[in-house]
Amino acid sequence: MAFSTAFTQAPSAAGARQAARASSKVQAFAPINAGSRKVASAKQSPAFAGQNVSAAGIASLRKAGASRAVVQTVCAIRDGATLDRPLRVAVIGGGPSGACAAETLAKGGCETFLIERKMDNCKPCGGAIPLCMVEEFDLPMEIIDRKVTKMKMISPSNREVDVGKTLSEREWIGMCRREVFDDFLRKRAKQNGAKVVNGLMMKLETSENGQGPIKVYYNDYAEGSKVGVPKTMEVDVVIGADGANSRVAKDIDAGEYDYAIAFQERIRIPDDKMKYYENLAEMYVGDDVSPDFYGWVFPKYDHVAVGTGTVVNKTAIKQYQQATRDRAKVKTEGGKIIRVEAHPIPEHPRPRRVKGRVALVGDAAGYVTKCSGEGIYFAAKSGRMAAEAIVEGSQNGKKMVGESDLRVYLDKWDRKYWATYKVLDILQKVFYRSNPAREAFVELCEDSYVQKMTFDSYLYKTVVPGNPLDDFKLLVRTVSSLVRANALRSAATNSVDVTFGSKANEDRVATA
């Protein structure tokens, strides 16, 4: 929002003294202490479109016996209006979505603030990134811990299927640690002009007509302080990139969504066992490790990440984690847990992702795919797309944007990725509903055509057209596998129940 300042005559000398005090060093439209009584001088702030009056000028008026009171009025700016200063954007959250949004905005001519509380954030995340992301987001190799070229899909009965035989020598899945990955993206945003604020956003305050400034209330933790200092800043646009528990989403009444709990332990294992996971990742399926997701063992720099997640039975997440450790016990024996992490993961996009001059991206918008649980690429991509829409709509920060400009991002996103989310949602409902269905899923993963289509779609984030004949054969195999799965499900009433973390479960794993 732009401000204009009107100067009106006041009949008293007290007004002159008040005007002199008004020539404060605090700039309008910049972070200020909450509750401060100071106002900015028109000369100091580029946001003012009115007259420029310096402190010396006010003092001369006092000497002349004249008295002037400075009255600041906030003027709303309509969408598309030309600004006399750069468009001002606050990005709340410094993960992949927020950092990529901030970088794009700053490079595009917008004055950008990136507010993040946890600068050393270690989100419980598998940390897998597709090959296309490395080039698309210009990622250096030093932030990638491992290049995974082999995967094992492990069924409820511990049948192992090797996945990755269709990959070429130049194709791989990157594995990263989120604290390293996110830190790199934030630093790059700062290098491109974004102002990084170590702060925690508390709430937003918008005008009734949606055309006034957006006031951001936050606690500032500058210089490593453990106690935040309440501050505010006023901006034109806000991008909410503050995760599944987004406060921005709550403030714009974005609607609720179901979410999963992800639980992960980082385990440092002996060198000989780490050698086994050098370029290998494992995915475990079964109602022992999760009733609606999967367990994983992903290699990192000097340890493995072992985790799982669930939507339908969140209170049992530690039991599912124990079962995942049991399933991988032989290969991680002798390991030491060096970190434990847990975090909510969204299950579907929010009902509302744009309102006025506020947009949601990443986990805050609900951009995590079902079945695979992938979120890093889609977080970074959504942040960049939202920022690109703002830069384009504002003509590189020169004009005011509105909801219609932000919806350009939303429309592009839905056209590009709606089918991906829908297909993975269906796959999860079909194959994660029972152990027999999971057995059928792992069986299908052994097919070379399935592997090629899956990896091509994942690595390059494009819908790969299949061969009609092979597609038909795959359909027949899928149907037959599901029929067999249903038959097995009917006969499963006599099967042995899994007891989480029990001796029986450990014995089953050891002899499988």
Side-chain angles (χ1 to χ4, degrees):
M1 283 297 101
F3 290 77
S4 61
T5 306
F7 296 92
T8 56
Q9 298 288 341
S12 67
R17 289 191 295 272
Q18 180 179 0
R21 290 195 300 269
S23 58
S24 158
K25 293 183 180 180
V26 179
Q27 295 188 10
F29 222 46
I32 59 175
N33 290 333
S36 172
R37 296 181 180 179
K38 295 179 180 179
V39 293
S41 71
K43 184 175 182 179
Q44 289 173 323
S45 173
F48 284 97
Q51 293 175 286
N52 292 333
V53 178
S54 65
I58 294 176
S60 65
L61 290 174
R62 293 183 63 192
K63 290 179 180 178
S67 62
R68 291 181 182 270
V70 180
V71 180
Q72 176 178 306
T73 61
V74 178
C75 298
I77 294 185
R78 68 182 187 279
D79 298 351
T82 301
L83 301 173
D84 59 352
R85 40 82 191 171
L87 186 77
R88 213 160 194 232
V89 186
V91 181
I92 313 299
S97 59
C100 289
E103 178 191 2
T104 303
L105 288 164
K107 289 168 66 176
C110 300
E111 186 179 5
T112 307
F113 294 86
L114 177 60
I115 302 177
E116 169 60 42
R117 173 66 186 103
K118 297 180 179 180
M119 295 296 182
D120 60 347
N121 181 41
C122 301
K123 182 179 177 181
C125 171
I129 57 175
L131 183 61
C132 67
M133 188 176 186
V134 176
E135 181 177 355
E136 184 177 349
F137 288 85
D138 194 22
L139 302 177
M141 289 297 105
E142 55 263 28
I143 70 170
I144 298 173
D145 289 341
R146 302 278 177 175
K147 295 181 180 180
V148 167
T149 56
K150 296 182 293 184
M151 295 188 71
K152 283 187 182 292
M153 292 291 300
I154 304 172
S155 76
S157 64
N158 279 321
R159 175 187 179 183
E160 297 184 358
V161 169
D162 292 323
V163 180
K165 56 189 176 184
T166 62
L167 293 177
S168 72
E169 294 181 355
R170 294 178 296 176
E171 293 179 320
W172 42 269
I173 298 171
M175 291 290 170
C176 64
R177 287 165 290 166
R178 283 293 301 272
E179 63 271 27
V180 175
F181 186 81
D182 294 10
D183 182 62
F184 167 77
L185 294 177
R186 282 193 296 268
K187 286 180 177 177
R188 189 166 68 180
K190 184 177 181 179
Q191 290 169 359
N192 281 280
K195 301 178 180 70
V196 179
V197 178
N198 188 346
L200 176 64
M201 197 280 286
M202 305 306 293
K203 69 174 183 177
L204 299 180
E205 187 178 281
T206 59
S207 60
E208 291 184 3
N209 64 3
Q211 294 192 338
I214 302 173
K215 182 174 286 188
V216 181
Y217 292 81
Y218 68 101
N219 289 338
D220 191 341
Y221 292 85
E223 299 180 359
S225 172
K226 293 183 178 180
V227 179
V229 178
K231 292 186 178 182
T232 65
M233 68 169 66
E234 290 182 334
V235 295
D236 302 312
V237 183
V238 169
I239 292 181
D242 48 339
N245 291 326
S246 171
R247 292 184 178 182
V248 176
K250 289 182 176 64
D251 284 346
I252 66 170
D253 193 22
E256 296 300 322
Y257 57 14
D258 206 356
Y259 63 92
I261 288 294
F263 191 97
Q264 178 174 274
E265 294 167 320
R266 302 196 190 191
I267 304 177
R268 183 167 288 129
I269 58 178
D271 291 343
D272 60 326
K273 296 186 181 298
M274 195 67 213
K275 184 68 176 178
Y276 171 78
Y277 286 109
E278 182 177 16
N279 61 346
L280 170 72
E282 291 181 329
M283 297 173 65
Y284 293 85
V285 292
D287 57 15
D288 57 336
V289 299
S290 176
D292 54 340
F293 204 55
Y294 62 87
W296 64 84
V297 180
F298 288 170
K300 303 297 180 180
Y301 175 70
D302 59 355
H303 61 275
V304 292
V306 180
T308 185
T310 180
V311 176
V312 301
N313 194 5
K314 301 179 182 69
T315 58
I317 187 64
K318 289 187 178 180
Q319 294 174 311
Y320 298 135
Q321 177 67 11
Q322 178 62 52
T324 304
R325 287 207 312 267
D326 288 346
R327 295 276 293 273
K329 180 178 179 179
V330 175
K331 288 167 279 191
T332 60
E333 191 173 8
K336 178 183 178 181
I337 297 174
I338 58 177
R339 187 187 291 271
V340 178
E341 305 157 342
H343 202 272
I345 305 294
E347 271 292 287
H348 57 78
R350 288 188 186 270
R352 172 184 288 161
R353 289 165 286 161
V354 169
K355 181 180 180 182
R357 292 169 180 166
V358 180
L360 301 177
V361 295
D363 282 12
Y367 294 150
V368 175
T369 60
K370 288 192 175 183
C371 192
S372 67
E374 182 187 3
I376 296 179
Y377 175 83
F378 293 111
K381 186 69 172 180
S382 63
R384 177 177 283 186
M385 288 177 68
E388 287 173 344
I390 293 170
V391 170
E392 181 180 356
S394 68
Q395 295 183 15
N396 295 98
K398 297 181 179 68
K399 292 182 177 293
M400 180 57 65
V401 296
E403 182 171 326
S404 61
D405 297 294
L406 272 60
R407 286 197 173 277
V408 169
Y409 133 70
L410 210 58
D411 293 341
K412 287 182 178 179
W413 177 269
D414 289 344
R415 284 197 303 270
K416 190 175 183 66
Y417 296 116
W418 181 88
T420 298
Y421 283 84
K422 194 65 178 177
V423 168
L424 291 174
D425 184 20
I426 293 171
L427 286 176
Q428 184 178 42
K429 290 176 180 176
V430 170
F431 289 112
Y432 285 12
R433 59 196 174 93
S434 68
N435 273 356
R438 295 182 186 101
E439 292 282 355
F441 175 61
V442 173
E443 179 183 327
L444 285 172
C445 289
E446 196 167 18
D447 185 272
S448 295
Y449 183 65
V450 172
Q451 291 191 26
K452 178 174 174 52
M453 296 294 290
T454 301
F455 274 109
D456 285 354
S457 298
Y458 172 78
L459 292 176
Y460 304 108
K461 289 294 173 283
T462 57
V463 179
V464 181
N467 180 288
L469 179 59
D470 288 333
D471 286 343
F472 178 74
K473 291 179 180 178
L474 176 59
L475 176 61
V476 172
R477 284 195 297 272
T478 303
V479 172
S480 63
S481 295
L482 288 174
V483 169
R484 186 162 60 255
N486 285 329
L488 290 172
R489 188 180 187 185
S490 300
T493 53
N494 296 324
S495 63
V496 178
D497 291 334
V498 173
T499 302
F500 299 112
S502 70
K503 183 67 166 60
N505 188 42
E506 293 182 10
D507 293 341
R508 180 175 68 86
V509 173
T511 57

